[in-house]
């Protein structure tokens, strides 16, 4: 992810659950509409929305419906046993006719033009890739999808994917050996762009195998934040807010976001884990210590933005466009 991102400020809207369907074992799809029947905000493949839980917390879900339908969004949610409660609430408590506060759409996983794509999905990671397949069709691009899961019963949207014939390769674990993603990436044509969404182990294997490929040709979205090494520095650092000249000290035990909020500075935030891109902030001076799972190598090297919920500073001082 990263270069070419189309992340936008979160926009709050209350949407109506028009349909709720079981699409696989422990997976439901929700169709959301504007309560008055109005038009929804446009979006592009890779975009997600925030769903606000009764606790005020937010969860991010990829849009997986028809991007050319201006009146409906579709998301799919896998019930996560032992999760943080959002998926269980959407499965057990949300019914057709319920109003859901939402934010977005925002896109940190955009599909860039290419003549050929290799898509790799693991489980519910199929959701952001579904609109990408439709877009690849519109573009007339060559593409293949490799879709992994525990079993066919656990893999949503197989009926939809069936119309694409042998361009979709299914890899249920209970029917054969695990997909060798490293070999798949190594064998991909040099000009192909590779998109992956799935469990951390799958994403990391794809990223390792894709490291020798041209910058930006391998893009991935994660279910959970990547493991990060220790911060570059364990000493306090200064954050200067360029618009007001206010200077803040960020202690080792606090995040930049916490320091900003403590000073009364409002920054849009959602996941708090460096996954969704909501809190991306422009850096005017200084060198960030990037600790997110959104920015790619080019963005990190440029050093002109950071996700303040998790990232810190390599330099003694950061100047932010706030």
């Amino acid at each position: 992810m990263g270069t070419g991102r189309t992340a936008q400020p979160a926009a709050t809207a209350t949407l109506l659950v028009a349909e709720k369907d079981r699409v696989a074992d422990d997976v439901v799809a929700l169709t959301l509409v504007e309560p008055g029947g109005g038009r929804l905000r446009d979006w592009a493949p890779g975009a997600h929305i925030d769903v606000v839980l009764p606790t005020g917390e937010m969860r991010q879900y990829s849009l997986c419906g028809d991007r050319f339908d201006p009146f409906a969004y579709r998301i799919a949610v896998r019930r996560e046993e032992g999760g943080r409660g959002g998926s269980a609430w959407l499965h057990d408590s949300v019914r057709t006719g319920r109003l859901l506060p939402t934010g977005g759409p925002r896109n940190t996983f955009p599909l860039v033009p290419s003549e050929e794509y290799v898509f790799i999905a693991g489980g519910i990671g199929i959701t952001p890739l579904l609109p990408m397949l439709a877009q690849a069709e519109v573009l007339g691009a060559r593409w293949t999808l490799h879709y992994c899961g525990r079993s066919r019963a656990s893999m949503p949207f197989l009926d939809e994917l069936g119309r694409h014939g042998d361009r979709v390769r299914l890899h249920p674990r209970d029917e054969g050996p695990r997909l060798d993603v490293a070999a798949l990436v190594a064998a991909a044509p040099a000009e192909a762009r590779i998109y992956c969404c799935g469990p951390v182990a799958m994403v990391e294997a794809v990223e390792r195998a894709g490291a020798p490929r041209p910058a930006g040709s391998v893009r991935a979205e994660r279910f959970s934040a990547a493991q990060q090494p220790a911060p570059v520095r364990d000493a306090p650092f200064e954050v200067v807010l360029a618009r007001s000249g206010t200077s803040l000290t960020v202690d080792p035990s606090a995040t930049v976001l916490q320091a900003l909020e403590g000073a009364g500075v409002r920054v849009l935030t959602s996941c708090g884990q460096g996954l969704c891109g909501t809190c991306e902030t422009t850096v005017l001076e200084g060198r960030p210590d990037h600790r997110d799972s959104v920015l790619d190598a080019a963005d990190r090297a440029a050093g002109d933005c950071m996700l303040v919920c998790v990232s810190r500073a390599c330099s003694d001082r950061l100047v932010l466009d706030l």
Side-chain angles (χ1 to χ4, degrees), residues 257-274:
L257 179 62
Q258 288 169 339
L260 293 170
E261 290 177 337
V265 179
R266 183 175 179 271
V267 177
L268 288 173
T269 184
S270 180
C271 73
Q273 302 178 72

Side-chain angles (χ1 to χ4, degrees), residues 2-9 44-47 105-111:
T3 303
R5 296 188 318 280
T6 55
Q8 301 170 4
R106 289 174 288 103
N107 199 341
T108 59
F109 190 40
L111 184 72

Side-chain angles (χ1 to χ4, degrees), residues 149-268:
R150 295 190 306 271
S151 65
R152 289 176 188 261
S154 74
M155 299 164 68
F157 305 118
L158 292 186
D159 289 345
E160 288 184 28
L161 292 168
R163 69 175 183 268
H164 295 300
D166 61 5
R167 285 184 293 178
V168 175
R169 320 283 173 81
L170 302 181
H171 305 274
R173 277 206 305 273
D174 63 351
E175 295 183 18
R178 188 183 297 267
L179 174 66
D180 186 341
V181 294
L184 175 63
V185 172
E191 67 276 11
R193 290 188 178 270
I194 299 170
Y195 280 77
C196 174
C197 183
V200 170
M202 169 183 280
V203 169
E204 290 181 345
V206 168
E207 290 177 335
R208 285 194 301 270
R213 299 177 68 88
S217 64
V218 177
R219 294 169 179 250
E221 187 165 67
R222 298 169 179 267
F223 293 161
S224 57
Q227 289 285 344
Q228 298 288 345
V232 169
R233 55 184 294 149
D234 58 6
F237 57 92
E238 181 186 16
V239 169
V240 177
L241 310 184
R243 299 181 198 176
S244 66
T246 302
S247 178
L248 309 173
T249 298
V250 181
D251 293 321
S253 60
T255 66
V256 174
L257 179 62
Q258 288 169 339
L260 293 170
E261 290 177 337
V265 179
R266 183 175 179 271
V267 177
L268 288 173

Side-chain angles (χ1 to χ4, degrees), residues 19-321:
E19 297 178 17
K20 181 178 180 180
D21 304 298
R22 181 179 177 273
V23 292
D25 289 351
D26 293 326
V27 180
V28 294
L30 305 178
T31 300
L32 309 177
V33 300
E34 202 279 323
R39 186 184 183 99
L40 299 172
R41 291 182 69 199
D42 293 339
W43 59 281
H48 67 265
I49 61 170
D50 302 316
V51 173
V52 184
L53 307 183
T55 60
E57 298 175 289
M58 292 187 183
R59 298 291 185 269
Q60 290 73 44
Y61 298 102
S62 297
L63 291 171
C64 59
D66 179 2
R67 66 167 297 202
F68 297 110
D69 180 351
F71 300 106
Y73 291 156
R74 184 178 70 172
I75 61 174
V77 183
R78 182 178 297 283
R79 185 187 185 96
E80 298 292 346
E81 299 298 339
R84 295 181 293 161
S87 65
W89 178 72
L90 286 165
H91 273 251
D92 298 341
S93 301
V94 172
R95 300 284 184 268
T96 301
R98 175 84 181 232
L99 294 173
L100 292 181
T102 66
R106 289 174 288 103
N107 199 341
T108 59
F109 190 40
L111 184 72
V112 298
S114 178
E115 294 183 358
E116 184 164 357
Y117 299 96
V118 176
F119 298 107
I120 305 170
I124 198 66
I126 190 63
T127 51
L129 302 187
L130 286 175
M132 295 187 182
L133 305 184
Q135 184 71 10
E137 289 282 274
V138 169
L139 295 173
R142 301 181 300 276
W143 63 268
T144 55
L145 167 68
H146 291 264
Y147 184 13
C148 305
R150 295 190 306 271
S151 65
R152 289 176 188 261
S154 74
M155 299 164 68
F157 305 118
L158 292 186
D159 289 345
E160 288 184 28
L161 292 168
R163 69 175 183 268
H164 295 300
D166 61 5
R167 285 184 293 178
V168 175
R169 320 283 173 81
L170 302 181
H171 305 274
R173 277 206 305 273
D174 63 351
E175 295 183 18
R178 188 183 297 267
L179 174 66
D180 186 341
V181 294
L184 175 63
V185 172
E191 67 276 11
R193 290 188 178 270
I194 299 170
Y195 280 77
C196 174
C197 183
V200 170
M202 169 183 280
V203 169
E204 290 181 345
V206 168
E207 290 177 335
R208 285 194 301 270
R213 299 177 68 88
S217 64
V218 177
R219 294 169 179 250
E221 187 165 67
R222 298 169 179 267
F223 293 161
S224 57
Q227 289 285 344
Q228 298 288 345
V232 169
R233 55 184 294 149
D234 58 6
F237 57 92
E238 181 186 16
V239 169
V240 177
L241 310 184
R243 299 181 198 176
S244 66
T246 302
S247 178
L248 309 173
T249 298
V250 181
D251 293 321
S253 60
T255 66
V256 174
L257 179 62
Q258 288 169 339
L260 293 170
E261 290 177 337
V265 179
R266 183 175 179 271
V267 177
L268 288 173
T269 184
S270 180
C271 73
Q273 302 178 72
L275 278 170
C276 70
T278 305
C279 68
E280 183 178 320
T281 301
T282 299
V283 177
L284 301 176
E285 295 179 29
R287 188 159 62 93
D289 176 11
H290 295 292
R291 306 183 59 75
D292 63 88
S293 300
V294 173
L295 302 181
D296 67 9
D299 293 312
R300 292 173 180 238
D304 57 3
C305 65
M306 66 184 292
L307 272 62
V308 294
C309 68
V310 292
S311 295
R312 303 187 65 78
C314 297
S315 52
D316 293 335
R317 181 174 178 266
L318 292 174
V319 180
L320 304 181
D321 185 20

